Structures are given as structure tokens and as C-alpha cells.
Amino acid sequence: MRRTALASALLFAFLVATRLCHSGIVWVEEAYPAAAAIQMLHGKVIYRDFWFDKPPLTPVLYLLWGAHTGVALRVAGAVFLFVCCAVMWWFARDLWSPIEGLIAASLLAFFVTFEVPSAALALAPDLVMLLPHIAAVYLVYRGRAFAAGALAGVAMLVNPKGVFVLVACLVWAWSDWFVLLAGFGAVTATGIAVLGFLGALPGYYQQVWAWGALYSRSTFVDQPLMEGLRRTAAWAGFHIALLAAAACWCWRSRARLDQRFTLWAATAFIGVVLGWRFFPRYYFLLLPVAVLAASRGFAIAPVRLRAALSLLLLIPLVRFGPRYIELARGRESNWADTAMNRDSRAVASIVGGLARPGDSLLVWGYRPDIFMYTRMPAGTPFLDSQPLTGVIADRHLTSHEASAPALAAANRQRLIGTSPTFIVDGLGLYNPPLAIASYADLAGWLANYREVARTRNSVVYRVSKRSEPH
């Protein structure tokens, strides 16, 4: 009991310490749900009053700490991941023994830390889905099919790829398919009923599912197959300790290998491939099954092999570990992948210095961290410019080809009927054809604004006269 308590305390301390190193950075993947949560705190209804193209539960999660940045955000992330590790601990312990439980929890904490920072640190839908994913499969293993199906429904309200959590549960208990689907349907129907009651259901369909389908069909990757092979090989290289340990379990247990693990991994990989983008955060779908299988491999491996497997952990540690040390020493200023966030902080400081109570904001570009830093209400139904330009954020810094030009034109007409106090064009200096000033149909409306400041990558406008609603 004391060993368990000590291990838990050390695990939690590790998660808190590593995340506090990033307390001065906001990653765009977490800023988007946080910006939505801030609008909800201002009394706005998601999907009805503002555009949000992800399922609703991640912004609701951010409400628990007021969608604040800094220490609050990082401690919340550590607590969330500690709960994930605890469920993983119970799962591996019940499958095999407490040794596997401890190994599984430790491996999960390690691999959600030493990973691409924007994926590992951001409480975005792909990472948030980790908890209902692990818990759902664990509960179905324990024979609680309805609860497992309900958690798969929760996963769907976090991320559309939650459907693969349901499939994973069906892999583990196909004979209970009806009860699983009943639990899944109960949660899904409840979510739809709540959105319908709030008048948000039409927006939910258009923004999450119609826009999401467009996003999935329109990959920016020129050669998806080759890119998928390259990125999967990179993921496998950084997770080679997990894969080698899982292979050890397969080799030593080949006569009685549980085929549910193989089917679970195959299901998860289909979810990774869906959309043909292969972002690092997508691979979190594979992490639960890989960690569980590896925990068994580590536990049954001979001493020398276990030592060799442990040495493989140095690969992600050496690659990603130095960043934590640099951040602790305050040496983030030259990182290319945080340059936009630094610019957002500068913009927020300017806007905050000019703003008065009741002022509102439009952010042009995909820069939701500006909302997070300013905590201002949106003066339009849009938190970013994707639905206004029709250009998806994964390419709008380099391309101006619209995937949904008709929808964007209609949304710009809606924009003309609004009058935010401030406009921050955080896109035009990166990609001039997509600058807000380049749209002829917005020219008359934008004439009501004057430029008041610039940073290296953004232009700040302030209303000079209120336009009449069209």
C-alpha cells in the first residue's frame, strides 16, 4: 500500500513538474477549445452564438478551471493525465498483476510527456479522448458493457473519432453488442437533446459534421500514402520501447496471445489513417493498446532484455527532454514553433492596453490564443477566419485555395452585420491573399476601422465608427 502511494505521488509530481515548464506557452490546439469556453463564460451558446467545429465536451472541460492559462491550465492537464494513468494502472493490474499496473501507468506518463509538445501538452480533443478510451475498454473487460458504451458516447462528444472507441469495445465484448450500443446511444441522445434544447443543433450539424466531412476529404498532403508511412515510421521510432516490449510479449505468449489486442490496434490505426493527415496527436488512438501490451512485455522479459528495453526509452527522452530543461531556464524565445504564440502574447498586450469594458474582438486567422490571453468576448459569430475564407487552417499560411468558397462568402455577409471593437488580422502578414483587407466584399465594412498597431505578424484594427447592420 505504501509503495503504491509513493509511486502515485512520484507519478503525479512528474506530470505536474513537466507541465509547469510549459506554463508560459499556449498551444493553438488547446487555445481553440479554451476560446470557446471563454465565450461560454460570456454567456454565449456554442454552435448557436459562435462557430466551433469540434464536439462540445472539450470546451466544457475547460470551464472547470475557467479556461485560464498559465499554472491553472498546466495543473489541470497534469490532473487529467494522472487520472488516465490511474485507469491504465487498474486495467493492467486486473489483466495481469500490480507489477504490470505500475509499468503501464509509468509508460503512459512517459509517452504523454516526451512527445511532440503541441500534442503532448495541449488538452485538445485527441488527448482528452484518451481517458474515455482507456476507461471504456477497461469497463467492457470488467463486464460493464452499458457503462463502457456510455463512455464511448462521451468519447464521441469529445472527438468524432470516438466511434473507434466503440468499435474497440465491440472487439472486446462482441456478444454484448446490444448493451454497448444502448449505453452509447443513451449518451449520444442526451447530448443531442441538450443541444436541441439550447437551439444549437443545426449549428452543431453544420459546423462539426458538415465542415468536419469537408476537412476529412480535403487533405493538404500531396502523397498521403508516403507521408503516412514516413510519419508512422517516425512514431514507431520514438515509441520503439513500447513496440519492442509488445513484441516480446507476443513472442513469449504466442500460443495463448489475446487476439483482442491485435484487433484493437488495427481499429485504432484505421482511426489514425482517417483523413490522411497523420498529425502526431492522432497517434494517441494507438497509445492505450501499445502501453498495455508493452507493460506485459516489460514484466515477463528476462532481466537483460528488460534492461535493453528500458534503454530504448532514451530515444524520446533525448529528443524531447532537453526542451523541459530549456523552458525551466527561460530559453524559449528562439523556438520557431512558438513564434506565433509569442506574437499572440504581444497582440493581446496591445489590445488589452486599449480595450475598455464591453469591447469585443474578431481574430482573423487561426489564432485562438489571442482570445485566451485577452479573455474578450467575440464580436462576431466566428472565433477564427476558416469559415470566412473557406481555407482550412492546416494550409492557410501557405495557400489561398478555398475548400468552401460559397459557405465562406455567405459567412462574410453575416460578418458585415456585426461590429466588433477590435480586429486582429493574424493571417494577412503570413499570406497576403488571405488578409482581411484583400476581400472586396468586406471593403466597405472594413472602412469603419483604422489600423492602430502592428506586431511582427499581426495588424490590429479598432473601430472608428459603427456600421449600420445590413
Side-chain angles (χ1 to χ4, degrees):
M1 191 67 169
R2 287 183 178 179
R3 289 181 179 179
T4 300
L6 177 60
S8 298
L10 290 173
L11 192 65
F12 184 65
F14 167 78
L15 290 169
V16 171
T18 52
R19 272 138 192 87
L20 285 179
C21 290
H22 287 77
S23 60
I25 300 173
V26 173
W27 299 97
V28 69
E29 290 83 2
E30 62 192 344
Y32 190 49
I38 289 168
Q39 301 314 306
M40 294 163 75
L41 290 170
H42 281 294
K44 298 177 185 289
V45 174
I46 192 171
Y47 310 124
R48 188 192 73 189
D49 298 332
F50 62 91
W51 179 289
F52 185 74
D53 60 20
K54 301 288 188 290
L57 281 193
T58 304
V60 170
L61 177 66
Y62 275 74
L63 293 176
L64 297 178
W65 58 92
H68 288 288
T69 61
V71 172
L73 175 61
R74 296 302 166 220
V75 171
V79 171
F80 176 84
L81 289 170
F82 181 75
V83 175
C84 293
C85 291
V87 178
M88 184 64 80
W89 186 320
W90 298 330
F91 197 171
R93 178 202 62 189
D94 290 358
L95 276 169
W96 298 295
S97 80
I99 296 298
E100 283 86 352
L102 176 59
I103 294 171
S106 302
L107 288 173
L108 183 61
F110 182 89
F111 282 103
V112 292
T113 299
F114 300 111
E115 173 60 274
V116 174
S118 61
L121 275 296
L123 272 178
D126 294 283
L127 183 58
V128 172
M129 195 175 70
L130 193 63
L131 180 56
H133 187 176
I134 299 167
V137 181
Y138 174 50
L139 286 175
V140 80
Y141 164 74
R142 292 293 303 270
R144 298 175 62 182
F146 186 87
L151 280 172
V154 169
M156 276 286 288
L157 292 173
V158 170
N159 189 332
K161 291 186 178 182
V163 67
F164 294 100
V165 176
L166 177 63
V167 175
C169 290
L170 289 168
V171 163
W172 279 76
W174 175 252
S175 61
D176 292 328
W177 66 270
F178 182 80
V179 181
L180 276 166
L181 292 179
F184 180 82
V187 169
T188 304
T190 300
I192 290 173
V194 171
L195 291 170
F197 175 77
L198 295 172
L201 202 53
Y204 171 68
Y205 170 76
Q206 181 192 40
Q207 296 160 36
V208 177
W209 295 104
W211 181 266
L214 174 68
Y215 179 88
S216 296
R217 292 194 305 268
S218 180
T219 181
F220 67 98
V221 179
D222 291 332
Q223 296 181 304
L225 182 58
M226 293 304 299
E227 185 69 6
L229 291 172
R230 186 183 69 81
R231 294 200 180 194
T232 301
W235 182 86
F238 287 120
H239 294 76
I240 191 64
L242 294 182
L243 301 182
C248 172
W249 174 44
C250 292
W251 179 71
R252 295 178 66 87
S253 308
R254 55 188 178 274
R256 57 185 190 284
L257 183 64
D258 193 332
Q259 295 300 321
R260 291 175 297 185
F261 279 84
T262 304
L263 293 173
W264 184 9
T267 296
F269 188 69
I270 293 171
V272 171
V273 171
L274 191 67
W276 296 103
R277 280 171 172 80
F278 303 98
F279 291 133
R281 62 184 183 271
Y282 289 2
Y283 289 85
F284 284 131
L285 262 173
L286 278 169
L287 201 54
V289 61
V291 164
L292 272 176
S295 70
R296 182 59 174 164
F298 268 99
I300 65 175
V303 174
R304 289 184 179 179
L305 179 56
R306 190 180 307 149
L309 292 172
S310 299
L311 285 174
L312 294 175
L313 295 172
L314 290 173
I315 295 173
L317 181 64
V318 170
R319 171 61 182 86
F320 299 109
R323 277 209 161 194
Y324 291 92
I325 298 172
E326 291 176 23
L327 279 173
R329 294 178 176 178
R331 297 181 180 176
E332 172 253 332
S333 59
N334 293 322
W335 293 356
D337 58 348
T338 60
M340 190 177 287
N341 179 245
R342 292 194 299 273
D343 187 73
S344 293
R345 279 179 261 169
V347 168
S349 178
I350 291 169
V351 173
L354 296 172
R356 294 173 294 185
D359 285 351
S360 60
L361 178 65
L362 165 66
V363 176
W364 187 270
Y366 191 61
R367 305 283 294 276
D369 50 350
I370 297 173
F371 277 110
M372 204 172 181
Y373 286 127
T374 63
R375 300 189 66 81
M376 291 177 68
T380 78
F382 308 103
L383 298 183
D384 66 276
S385 62
Q386 292 180 91
L388 297 166
T389 65
V391 184
I392 297 171
D394 59 16
R395 72 204 65 177
H396 74 173
L397 296 181
T398 56
S399 171
H400 60 272
E401 182 179 351
S403 299
L407 174 64
N411 283 334
R412 289 196 298 274
Q413 289 304 304
R414 291 181 64 192
L415 182 66
I416 290 171
T418 68
S419 188
T421 313
F422 292 93
I423 299 172
V424 175
D425 184 347
L427 176 59
L429 295 181
Y430 288 100
N431 191 356
L434 292 187
I436 191 170
S438 71
Y439 285 84
D441 54 355
L442 296 181
W445 175 77
L446 192 60
N448 298 306
Y449 291 81
R450 61 185 177 88
E451 181 181 329
V452 294
R454 283 193 180 215
T455 63
R456 182 173 182 176
N457 301 121
S458 302
V459 182
V460 180
Y461 299 90
R462 185 174 186 171
V463 68
S464 55
K465 59 180 180 178
R466 298 288 179 179
S467 60
E468 294 296 325
H470 286 223

